[in-house]
């Protein structure tokens, strides 16, 4: 009979996630994870497989969590869709501005480091970004139905543009750009959203 594991698996994953997030994939070793968790490498390999399998498990969990967080913030009734979109853009910029360590998002960090030669990471990264773009597009369509955004605008293209702006803000934040400039980019993006005729001149987005 197999012996039960004598450690908290989720706690170990949290520690390993911090290692990958802080030092990157190449800069993280199973020796370092073993030292940080207090486990032997044999226990790590037995529970999670090798370094690549462990990273993919952490990466998968992170990708699901951030996409779910976007959905939680954007899904709702049509009459609040535009305000939710503006709040999402502002909150993303504020969160990036508050990241004093400039670690950025594990999705972006993992994709930048590994996607060129790791198809597993490429597939997961694209799938997550596509899901986020879909959620954004649904919110934009809701705002269009309510008359807050121009119904002639292509919701899918606009969602991809918003996603690109937010990814760009993250890149600027990682480079150490000042918080007020990051937040200014977010406000500019909001001001450029194609408002419906009846709502022109009122682009405060709930402010």
């Amino acid at each position: 009979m197999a012996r039960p594991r004598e450690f908290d698996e989720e706690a170990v994953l949290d520690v390993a996630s911090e290692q990958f997030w802080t030092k990157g994939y190449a800069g993280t070793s199973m020796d370092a994870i073993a030292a940080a968790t207090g486990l032997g490498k044999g226990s790590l390999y037995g529970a999670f497989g090798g370094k690549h399998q462990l990273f993919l498990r952490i990466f998968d969990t992170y990708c699901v969590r951030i996409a779910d967080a976007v959905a939680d913030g954007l899904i709702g009734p049509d009459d609040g869709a535009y305000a939710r979109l503006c709040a999402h853009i502002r909150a993303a910029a504020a969160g990036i501005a508050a990241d004093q360590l400039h670690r950025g998002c594990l999705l972006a960090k993992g994709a930048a480091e590994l996607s060129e030669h790791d198809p597993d990471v490429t597939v997961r990264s694209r799938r997550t970004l596509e899901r986020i773009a879909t959620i954004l597009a649904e919110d934009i369509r809701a705002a269009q139905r309510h008359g807050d955004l121009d119904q002639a605008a292509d919701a899918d293209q606009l969602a991809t543009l918003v996603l690109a702006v937010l990814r760009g803000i993250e890149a600027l934040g990682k480079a150490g750009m000042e918080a007020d400039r990051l937040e200014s980019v977010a406000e500019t993006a909001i001001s450029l959203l194609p408002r419906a005729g009846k709502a022109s001149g009122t682009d405060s987005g709930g402010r």
Side-chain angles (χ1 to χ4, degrees), residues 21 91-105 108-109 164-186:
W21 202 342
I96 293 164
D99 180 10
Q100 297 298 314
L101 297 177
H102 307 307
R103 294 198 309 172
C105 161
K109 194 166 191 173
V165 168
L166 295 180
R167 296 286 102 184
I169 291 174
E170 181 181 358
L172 295 175
K174 281 182 65 64
M177 187 167 284
E178 298 87 348
D180 59 343
R181 294 180 70 184
L182 301 179
E183 291 167 0
S184 177
V185 173

Side-chain angles (χ1 to χ4, degrees), residues 9-22 24-25 28-30 33 37 44 48 50-66 105-107 110 114 121 124 128:
E9 189 170 295
E10 290 304 316
V12 172
L13 288 169
D14 286 343
V15 172
S17 176
E18 192 69 18
Q19 292 281 318
F20 284 123
W21 202 342
T22 302
Y25 183 82
T28 299
S29 68
M30 292 297 274
I33 294 172
T37 59
L44 287 175
F48 306 108
K51 174 179 166 179
H52 189 248
Q53 293 97 316
L54 176 58
F55 177 78
L56 289 179
R57 178 165 172 180
I58 289 167
F59 195 68
D60 281 340
T61 298
Y62 182 87
C63 288
V64 170
R65 186 168 71 244
I66 64 167
C105 161
L106 184 61
L107 167 61
L114 298 173
V121 171
R124 286 161 167 80
T128 304

Side-chain angles (χ1 to χ4, degrees), residues 60-118:
D60 281 340
T61 298
Y62 182 87
C63 288
V64 170
R65 186 168 71 244
I66 64 167
D68 285 348
V70 174
D72 289 343
L74 289 179
I75 294 174
D78 290 2
D79 61 358
Y82 175 70
R84 291 194 302 273
L85 178 61
C86 294
H88 175 73
I89 295 171
R90 287 175 177 136
I96 293 164
D99 180 10
Q100 297 298 314
L101 297 177
H102 307 307
R103 294 198 309 172
C105 161
L106 184 61
L107 167 61
K109 194 166 191 173
E113 182 181 3
L114 298 173
S115 62
E116 182 179 353
H117 51 79
D118 190 330

Side-chain angles (χ1 to χ4, degrees), residues 40 46 49 91 124 139 200:
R124 286 161 167 80
D139 183 81
S200 62

Side-chain angles (χ1 to χ4, degrees), residues 138-168:
E138 288 304 312
D139 183 81
I140 289 166
R141 290 189 183 94
Q144 289 173 315
R145 288 193 298 268
H146 191 254
D148 290 315
L149 291 177
D150 185 359
Q151 293 186 4
D154 186 308
D156 292 313
Q157 290 183 2
L158 188 55
T160 303
L161 177 61
V162 171
L163 180 59
V165 168
L166 295 180
R167 296 286 102 184

